[in-house]
Amino acid sequence: MTIARRGFLRGTVAGTALTSLLAAQGSAHAAATTAAPARPASGSGRGPTLRWLGTSGWRVDLPERTILVDPYLTRFPTGLFQEGREFDSATPLTVDAATVDEHTAGIGEDDVILVTHTHWDHFSDVPHIATATGARVLGTLTTYHVAQAMGVPAAQLSPVRGGEVLDFGGDVVEVVRSLHSRNGRYSVLFPGIRVGVPEAPATIADLPEGDTLAFQLNPASGPSVFFMGASDFDARAVSGLSPDVAMVAMPSTSSTHEYVPRLLEALDLPRTVVPIHWDDFERELTNPPVDGTGSGMSVADFSDLVRRVSPRSRVVVPEYLVPYTFG
């Protein structure tokens, strides 16, 4: 089965020009490094250090633990971004173990992996990370079942639904009921859930959306951070979260009515807004990120819209693996 290159489009758009606004935020803007990142010293009072892993993926290093969000690092080609080639839903699942291990170095049993949904560009590296490190995986019931099919022990998996408020040694994770973005046909690529452990997935089509979550991290010190994995949301579910920083998945179509204004208002106009899920995620993690916009909203247009809706918000356009702290 094949479909047109950008026919389904989830939250994967970018701008034609990526303007770095990092100086305005006062964040550390070091060159990307392949060395394992260091955690802040315990008791230092420092907030989390965040590194963008591309797509909607993040590595968050806290004094006592590391939290991964949607870590997709293999970034194998499916035809989605290649001109003259159609997207191939039969693309085999692939894990580049060396690359994944490099960027998840230092992670162990006390650490946590948050999965927003089970599409390949969010989930397909998670079973390898979980089995290699022992880190706990939080996700939907579909995540729970599919991860077992891919070799992760059930005891290492925590199914959640949205509404849970979980305390990891003072670092609190709120699980937020959410929605997947809609393509131009008002539909979703690979819809469906898994209510039992399936056959081991072999292709990207074997990984359904499986319902979608968002997460808010309220660390013991530092600002609160809201993480999305797709460009839609449940306004009632996010109301009252009021994060300091919002990682906002870029809208790829106009199917969701007034997505950006409604989201920012529901989140009480976050102090910092970071656009994510706009890059070509079939290229290696080399800066500057390559535009994966297609015909959707550009990063520049998104930034302008954020400033109109929330003039006091600052927009930070991330680069791969750069350490960010948000005061």
Side-chain angles (χ1 to χ4, degrees):
M1 171 186 173
T2 58
I3 61 177
R5 172 176 174 262
R6 297 293 292 174
F8 65 88
L9 288 176
R10 303 163 333 282
T12 322
V13 291
T16 55
L18 303 181
T19 303
S20 176
L21 303 174
L22 306 181
Q25 72 157 5
S27 293
H29 188 182
T33 175
T34 58
R39 293 177 179 169
S42 179
S44 66
R46 286 178 51 192
T49 298
L50 298 94
R51 290 171 173 82
W52 186 41
L53 306 179
T55 323
S56 63
W58 290 90
R59 175 172 176 146
V60 184
D61 288 299
L62 295 151
E64 302 298 339
R65 65 190 40 80
T66 293
I67 294 175
L68 298 177
V69 182
D70 284 0
Y72 176 60
L73 294 155
T74 297
R75 299 167 71 90
F76 53 80
T78 67
L80 178 60
F81 296 98
Q82 289 78 42
E83 292 294 341
R85 179 182 170 189
E86 290 189 322
F87 172 74
D88 184 4
S89 63
T91 301
L93 294 172
T94 304
V95 175
D96 180 349
T99 296
V100 175
D101 293 348
E102 174 184 348
H103 295 302
T104 57
I107 291 174
E109 294 180 358
D110 292 333
D111 300 320
V112 181
I113 305 169
L114 307 178
V115 178
T116 64
H117 63 286
T118 48
H119 278 155
W120 84 96
D121 53 322
H122 300 258
F123 175 76
S124 63
D125 284 335
V126 168
H128 171 80
I129 298 169
T131 54
T133 65
R136 177 156 298 281
V137 179
L138 272 67
T140 63
L141 189 63
T142 296
T143 299
Y144 175 76
H145 286 134
V146 175
Q148 289 180 68
M150 298 176 75
V152 183
Q156 203 174 323
L157 300 165
S158 299
V160 289
R161 300 179 61 180
E164 296 89 349
V165 181
L166 306 175
D167 192 333
F168 295 93
D171 299 312
V172 176
V173 173
E174 295 188 55
V175 185
V176 183
R177 186 177 66 255
S178 194
L179 301 170
H180 196 279
S181 49
R182 296 280 154 168
N183 58 28
R185 299 183 303 277
Y186 300 90
S187 189
V188 177
L189 180 73
F190 307 153
I193 60 175
R194 297 292 181 264
V195 296
V197 178
E199 295 291 328
T203 72
I204 60 174
D206 294 331
L207 293 177
E209 177 253 339
D211 293 331
T212 296
L213 301 169
F215 299 94
Q216 178 149 313
L217 171 63
N218 301 301
S221 61
S224 57
V225 186
F226 178 69
F227 295 97
M228 302 183 74
S231 56
D232 201 357
F233 67 102
D234 180 338
R236 292 171 180 83
V238 303
S239 178
L241 290 174
S242 302
D244 298 306
V245 181
M247 308 304 187
V248 175
M250 293 283 291
S252 56
T253 71
S254 60
S255 296
T256 298
H257 175 68
E258 294 292 322
Y259 163 66
V260 174
R262 289 175 49 241
L263 174 61
L264 295 181
E265 289 168 7
L267 291 174
D268 295 329
L269 308 179
R271 188 168 64 222
T272 302
V273 177
V274 181
I276 58 168
H277 213 330
W278 51 260
D279 59 320
D280 178 340
F281 54 78
E282 298 185 358
R283 295 174 180 260
E284 62 184 16
L285 291 171
T286 301
N287 287 320
V290 173
D291 175 2
T293 303
S295 59
M297 179 185 291
S298 73
V299 168
D301 288 341
F302 172 84
S303 301
D304 289 343
L305 180 56
V306 170
R307 294 189 189 99
R308 288 200 301 273
V309 174
S310 181
R312 295 186 179 181
S313 296
R314 58 183 176 182
V315 180
V316 176
V317 180
E319 291 190 338
Y320 299 138
L321 307 175
V322 172
Y324 296 99
T325 58
F326 300 94

